[in-house]
Amino acid sequence: MSATPTIKLLINGEFIESKTDQWRDVINPATQEVLAKVPFATSDEIESAVASAREAFKTWRKSSIGVRARIFLKYQHLIRKNIKELAAILTAEQGKTLADAEGDVFRGLEVVEHAASVGNLQLGEMANNVASGVNTYTLLQPLGVCAGITPFNFPAMIPLWMFPMAIATGNTFVLKPSEQDPMVTMRLAELALEAGIPPGVLNVIHGGVDAVNAICDHEDIQTVSFVGSTHVGTHVYNRASQAGKRVQCMMGAKNHAIVMPDANKEQTLNNLVGAAFGAAGQRCMALPVVILVGEARNWLPELTRRAESLKVSAGTDPDTDVGPVVSRAALDRVTTLIQKGVDEGAELVLDGRNPIVPGFEAGNFVGPTIFSGVTTSMTIYEQEIFGPVLCVMEAASMDEAIDIINANPHGNGTAIFTRSGAAAQRFQEDINVGQVGINVPIPVPVPLFSFSGSRGSKLGDLGPYGKQVITFYTQTKTVTSRWFEEDAEADAVNTTITLK
């Protein structure tokens, strides 16, 4: 019987075995099979990773735009070439269906493609003759060592949101993936080195709270990017910003959709089911709350029938609609909150607890679950369940529905389903949420734009990818220059700050 594989650290271009005595099992959530063991890196190993990035920055920051762009052109090719393998790894360790896993990789790939256009993204500005013979221009220069802390629910996409844009703009990077499912992240790191990223430019460490705190505290790390829970994100933001770093934290959510009675019924119901129960509800842009307005309140039975028809099974089954949640702890949390909803008086229209999944009886499965009669004071509304649970609310008007959404502390995403342009226009103007979908249930923007969650879903001014992340990963240096002919006569002494 072969020994359990171990996840390696990536330091200075080499994959090395950790010397730690703390390890965690990486477990297949559908079978409970131990796939690998992941180390909790020692303080010396974390220091080595940061030191490697610091040393590599000295030369990488001076690399040409063309060199960086060509690396990411090759990297996107390698990801495309290996997307089936990457998806299979992701499904085994995280539980997503193969289709969802490929989508996870693909949405990260889009950012890699965007990073290849860094030459157009990292342009400065220039004003000629701001005064007689004086020009002013800006340079967008890299900061140094940057770091990222990524969650379990998108182990391919979120790392690819972070290190490609940081490295493309001339920085070096230290990545700490989730200890629950680091295998696909490490395969992406292997492909990054194959694409030509030099030693030390990308480093990967593993661990828990101690590794997170080390990243937040280290004096050589200039920026910290985080995606995950509100509790941890708040800790990261406070600790890292107090240490003088730039920080962006994308955190918890409670996304809502308003369904107007004039919406396209077939398309709307299909979209609601996919957004609420896809990826087993384990995404920050999932749709856990639907507000049915007016006559749309009569659509609940059909919505329930469609949810009930979804197949719950292992992600490797191509017919699976809903795979397992990531861990036993996640399963316990979801089922506990479902019972809490029952206890607090919500009507359990569809109970997804304890589904029968032949051949995978040990899996962390919970099926699509729907509550109706949900109020804003209930625990299932107040907390992010992070499972395939949909809370259905009702409103007499769009204004009432908007008031419900705006009163919620989170502002990650929202959507409206309607055929009325006027209603959609008013919704996008009046809603206080950072990302808005109009007949689009999960309005995650493509990389040409920035991820723009708001309010309680985000700490920090700048979001990942898009134009905002260029600002996040660079320092604007403003240069004012004036040149004189060698035989020019000297001006009179000017003691003011005004240039003539």
Side-chain angles (χ1 to χ4, degrees), residues 182-420:
M183 294 169 59
V184 70
T185 308
M186 295 310 296
R187 182 66 181 122
L188 286 168
E190 291 174 358
L191 294 176
L193 297 192
E194 186 178 341
I197 290 180
V201 173
L202 173 63
N203 303 270
V204 185
I205 61 170
H206 305 286
V209 174
D210 290 343
V212 169
N213 288 341
I215 286 172
C216 293
D217 296 342
H218 203 292
E219 63 181 3
D220 289 328
I221 292 177
Q222 305 301 312
T223 74
V224 177
S225 300
F226 170 88
V227 176
S229 71
T230 297
H231 173 71
V232 178
T234 301
H235 169 79
V236 167
Y237 183 82
N238 290 337
R239 187 156 182 157
S241 59
Q242 287 170 9
K245 307 181 191 314
R246 290 186 186 177
V247 190
Q248 56 176 209
C249 290
M250 307 299 118
M251 307 186 300
K254 199 70 175 183
N255 306 318
H256 301 65
I258 294 176
V259 179
M260 300 299 291
D262 68 341
N264 182 306
K265 187 175 182 179
E266 291 298 312
Q267 291 294 328
T268 298
L269 291 175
N270 287 338
N271 280 320
L272 294 179
V273 169
F277 306 119
Q282 297 179 118
R283 47 191 176 197
C284 67
M285 289 297 291
L287 197 56
V289 182
V290 170
I291 305 174
L292 303 178
V293 177
E295 294 178 2
R297 289 175 285 193
N298 298 323
W299 297 4
L300 178 58
E302 190 166 344
L303 174 64
T304 303
R305 285 194 295 271
R306 295 191 187 204
E308 197 171 17
S309 70
L310 298 178
K311 181 177 180 179
V312 180
S313 189
T316 50
D317 182 342
D319 295 326
T320 295
D321 298 302
V322 181
V325 294
V326 71
S327 66
R328 286 291 187 194
L331 177 63
D332 290 344
R333 171 179 164 78
V334 173
T335 55
T336 297
L337 284 168
I338 291 173
Q339 185 58 48
K340 190 76 170 176
V342 173
D343 295 342
E344 293 182 355
E347 181 182 353
L348 187 56
V349 178
L350 179 61
D351 188 351
R353 291 173 292 183
N354 303 313
I356 297 173
V357 185
F360 298 95
E361 289 78 8
N364 307 325
F365 293 102
V366 58
T369 298
I370 297 178
F371 281 103
S372 66
V374 176
T375 67
T376 58
S377 62
M378 292 179 177
T379 304
I380 55 172
Y381 178 80
E382 292 176 336
Q383 294 191 22
E384 186 176 21
I385 299 174
F386 229 59
V389 181
L390 177 62
C391 297
V392 178
M393 306 175 74
E394 297 182 356
S397 67
M398 186 173 75
D399 288 338
E400 181 184 342
I402 288 174
D403 288 343
I404 292 171
I405 298 172
N406 285 345
N408 189 279
H410 296 291
N412 218 30
T414 189
I416 187 170
F417 291 89
T418 181
R419 299 187 193 192
S420 168

Side-chain angles (χ1 to χ4, degrees), residues 60 63 65-78 112 116 167 191-198:
W60 181 247
S63 61
I65 288 173
V67 165
R68 285 178 265 147
R70 283 189 290 274
I71 286 174
F72 285 102
L73 284 170
K74 184 174 181 180
Y75 190 36
Q76 65 88 22
H77 168 72
L78 290 172
V112 175
I167 291 172
L191 294 176
L193 297 192
E194 186 178 341
I197 290 180

Side-chain angles (χ1 to χ4, degrees), residues 27-38:
I27 298 173
N28 183 320
T31 65
Q32 306 307 308
E33 174 192 0
V34 177
L35 302 174
K37 291 185 177 293
V38 61

Side-chain angles (χ1 to χ4, degrees), residues 14 26 48 75 91-92 99-100 112-113 133 135 137 152 157 203 236 239 248 329 340 345 369-370 387 408 465 482:
E14 296 183 359
V26 179
S48 294
Y75 190 36
T91 292
D100 270 341
V112 175
E113 293 171 339
N135 299 325
Y137 53 94
F152 76 85
M157 182 183 78
N203 303 270
V236 167
R239 187 156 182 157
Q248 56 176 209
K340 190 76 170 176
T369 298
I370 297 178
N408 189 279
Y465 66 78
R482 186 178 189 182

